[in-house]
Amino acid sequence: MSPRPSLRVLLVEDEIVIGLYLKAELESAGYRVSRWVASGEAGIQAAAELKPDLILMDIRLSGGIDGIEAARRIHTAAATPIVFISGYQDPSIKEAAAAVGPLAYLCKPFRIGDLLPYLDGLASTSGKV
Amino acid sequence: MLGLFIQQAPAALAMFDLKMRYLSVSQRWLEDYGLLGREILGNSHYEIFPEIGEAWKAVHRRALQGEVVRAEEEGFTRADGSVQWLRWEVRPWLGSDGRIGGIVIFSEDISRYKTAEARERHLSSVLRAIRSINQLISRARDRSSLLNEACAILTESRGYLSAWVGLWQAGARVALAASAGLGDQAVALAARLELGSCPQCCRELAEGPALILHRDTRAECGSCILADRIPGNGSLAGALRQGGRDYGLLVVSLPSILAADPEEQALFQEVLGDLSIALHALEGESVSVRAEEDLRLSERRFSTIFHSSLAPIGISRLRDGTFLDVNEAFVELFGHPREVILGQSAAALNLWEGLDRRAMIEELGGRGGRGNYEMTGLRKDGRTLSLLASMAQIEVDGEECLLGILTDITERKLAEAELHQALEEKESLLRELYHRTRNNMLAIMGMMSLRASTHPDASIPRFVEDISERILSMALVHEKLYQFRNLSRIDLGDFLAELARQELGRASVGGRVGLELSLEEVPVLIDTAMPMAIVVGELLTNALRHAFPGGRQGKISLALSHSDSGQIRLSLSDDGIGLAGKDGDRAGSAYGLSMIYAIVEQQLQGSIVRLQGLGTKYIITFRDDLYKERV
């Protein structure tokens, strides 16, 4: 797969194995994870600094705020596309996440093939393919 | 001369010789005794009147012996049964020789005076009876005593020989309500009436007249058992009617001559009118008394319920909330003494917290309105109470009031809160457990993938991919369990549909392979769903991977049904190239197929059949009763 270095992806995931797996799978699909952080606070900061094209946001994170709150704060500064990746399938949590206006909500476990269409779509619309 | 005097005398006079032969007789005698036109002179008095009894003959003999015998009044019963009243005197007459030559009988028919006197006496009696009845009416409190006493008065005052009252019953029948002077015949009359026999007077009165006169009951009253009670008697029967109601009749027996007297009839009708009014008044009174008794009974019941109720009950005035009454349970609930509560309002006593009384009254919407309200009460000791109040707007002694029946639900609310909290904790725990499980599943997939990527064996990535798919199948079972809020069962049909769509979407068969689903709703335990997720996932993977090589088009069909006996049948087929030559028999099948057979036959104790033809078809039958429901 040819690299697509121009699409900046921020990964906010506190579990090392999952972070490594996603990073490896995305890279094997031609995308590069520009930065990977483990907490909501770090995610907000990274989003401000990196200005990513896409944020992959876990919900339950280390630190004081969860992924939904981090996404809400990020969206107050910039309408960065966010895909929530979470083991939560509770409707109340899904509704809270939907209120932030994400690009998608993927329930763990999922196939990388379920995630790639969002990146492909963003890459094609941003002309960063 | 004497003979002329006798003949012209204004009284009935007759002169007899010693042998009681008529010597001379006055014109009046002839008239009074019905002898006009008869030749009686020289004939014996006893021949003319053979009915003359021994008593009279004795009187005659006494006079013939010189005695003067007289009577101021004496009844003389005629051969026809009638009574003639006479004033008479019998005395001897002396001949010129001074000896007794015979007797002279002087008599005056005083029957007319006697009748007038009797009538006067009778009417007076009836008037007395009417007065007595009027007094009776003013004190009578029930129908039975009124009628019985009235009959007794009418007979005991000698106004009537007998009296009875019949009251109309359903079916145009009459029941004997009261009687006097009938003796044993009262029982017989009651029995006759009971059997439905309706005396002639009843039948006649039913046709409308107010009064029926029978001059001679023996002749006129047919088969009535009272008809021949007293020979020569008449009867008066009158209707007891008032206010549009026809209560019955009063029948009295009296001498015919009196029965025919218009004045007598007028007095009788007065009796009828008085009794009718009394019956009407008693009827109205009985309704009113009954209503009063009902009210008293109702009040007693309410009072008993009010004071003995374990539910706190209070009655407060609508306009200012002042408590008019509360029961013991109310006193106990709030801890204020009863005498402190009564006369004060709930607001003054600070019984409620945050109650909008005006809004509640408006919501009740006037008298008769009712509703249930959850309220917070405050005890005297400051403890708060959760109360359920059933409120109703009622009227008490003309005053609009609120009746409140309270239920102390403090403990229930606490228990509910605890239960709610426990449920929330359970939900939270469950949510975190599922979250952790699903995170771990992805972590396992990640670990396998990361290790496989560095493994020299090229078959490992495919192996990891297959295992990952089975993990995803199992994750789907978890998702369905969570979605349906049922930790024991999922709908296998719904699950298989989604599994098949996901597998097909993931497979690189593009739009070449279609999916045909015929899946009934079959709820199964997770213990059945989880192995079936592996089995169907494996079969779908195999079909998608091997049945349609080289751009071949086709279809995968999945069907699920269950029978009433609990047997579940699953068929999965494709119209691809089949497994012949690759996994043509079980001995040579891949490890995945061996696992499928083991799961179906050993774990689920079902059967699996593979059919080869234009494609491959698996028919799996199993049951869902191997495990007990766990939750």
Side-chain angles (χ1 to χ4, degrees), chain A residues 15 25 88 90 108 111, chain B residues 432 438-439 469 482 506:
Chain A
E15 290 202 37
E25 289 291 323
Y88 287 119
D90 190 78
K108 294 175 183 174
R111 300 176 184 88
Chain B
E432 292 306 321
R438 296 176 68 86
N439 249 15
E469 284 303 322
Y482 195 82
R506 181 189 62 86

Side-chain angles (χ1 to χ4, degrees), chain A residues 8-10 45-55 77-78 80 128:
Chain A
R8 292 184 303 276
V9 176
L10 169 63
Q45 189 178 344
E49 292 168 2
L50 184 65
K51 299 194 179 348
D53 298 303
L54 176 71
I55 301 173
T80 310
K128 290 180 177 179

Side-chain angles (χ1 to χ4, degrees), chain B residues 221-370:
Chain B
C221 293
S223 61
C224 179
I225 59 166
L226 305 179
D228 55 358
R229 193 162 175 270
I230 302 174
N233 262 357
S235 73
L236 286 173
L240 296 168
R241 293 181 186 134
Q242 183 67 29
R245 292 268 286 119
D246 203 345
Y247 295 101
L249 73 162
L250 168 66
V251 184
V252 295
S253 173
L254 70 174
S256 297
I257 192 165
L258 294 177
D261 184 344
E263 202 168 340
E264 168 62 41
Q265 291 173 14
L267 287 171
F268 180 68
Q269 282 190 308
E270 201 173 319
V271 173
L272 286 172
D274 288 347
L275 281 178
S276 297
I277 289 168
L279 283 172
H280 190 64
L282 277 177
E283 187 178 59
E285 200 173 297
S286 70
V287 171
S288 151
V289 166
R290 214 165 33 239
E292 276 179 24
E293 283 177 355
D294 286 349
L295 185 62
R296 273 199 297 276
L297 185 63
S298 172
E299 282 174 353
R300 271 204 306 276
R301 283 179 185 151
F302 175 77
S303 178
T304 304
I305 292 168
F306 184 85
H307 288 291
S308 62
S309 171
L310 295 175
I313 307 175
I315 299 173
S316 62
R317 212 155 47 202
L318 188 74
R319 60 186 158 90
D320 58 7
T322 300
F323 281 107
L324 302 179
D325 205 355
V326 295
N327 67 357
E328 277 308 305
F330 192 98
V331 169
E332 276 181 31
L333 181 69
F334 287 99
H336 293 283
R338 181 182 163 82
E339 55 275 17
V340 170
I341 296 173
L342 298 185
Q344 292 227 55
S345 69
L349 292 163
N350 195 28
L351 295 188
W352 310 121
E353 196 173 72
L355 172 69
D356 188 345
R357 191 169 181 273
R358 183 175 296 176
M360 185 180 73
I361 291 169
E362 276 181 21
E363 200 177 310
L364 287 174
R367 192 184 303 166
R370 57 193 66 212

Side-chain angles (χ1 to χ4, degrees), chain A residues 13-22 24-25 58-61 85-94 106-114, chain B residues 427 431-432 434-447 449-450 468-469 471-473 475 478-480 482-483 485 499 502-503 506:
Chain A
E13 170 62 66
D14 62 339
E15 290 202 37
I16 295 297
V17 174
I18 294 174
L20 286 172
Y21 169 58
L22 292 177
E25 289 291 323
D58 190 11
I59 289 179
R60 182 167 174 80
L61 295 164
I85 48 171
S86 172
Y88 287 119
Q89 52 189 340
D90 190 78
S92 63
I93 291 179
K94 284 185 175 178
L106 289 180
C107 258
K108 294 175 183 174
F110 55 84
R111 300 176 184 88
I112 290 301
D114 296 331
Chain B
E427 287 284 324
R431 188 167 58 232
E432 292 306 321
Y434 271 94
H435 170 259
R436 177 49 43 204
T437 304
R438 296 176 68 86
N439 249 15
N440 287 348
M441 285 176 169
L442 185 62
I444 291 166
M445 286 165 63
M447 280 192 289
S449 178
L450 289 169
S468 294
E469 284 303 322
I471 290 172
L472 288 167
S473 298
H478 278 260
E479 188 178 326
K480 292 294 174 191
Y482 195 82
Q483 271 178 7
R485 318 299 295 166
L499 181 66
Q502 283 189 7
E503 290 280 346
R506 181 189 62 86

Side-chain angles (χ1 to χ4, degrees), chain B residues 149-207:
Chain B
E149 286 187 44
C151 288
I153 288 168
L154 289 171
T155 53
E156 285 167 12
S157 66
R158 298 179 188 275
Y160 300 116
L161 301 169
S162 68
W164 62 275
V165 174
L167 295 178
W168 289 111
Q169 308 294 309
R173 292 172 60 182
V174 175
L176 183 65
S179 70
L182 290 179
D184 294 342
Q185 282 176 304
V187 178
L189 176 64
R192 286 278 188 100
L193 295 174
E194 184 68 28
L195 290 170
S197 169
C198 193
Q200 186 164 333
C201 49
C202 300
R203 288 197 299 273
E204 291 175 17
L205 283 174
E207 289 170 8

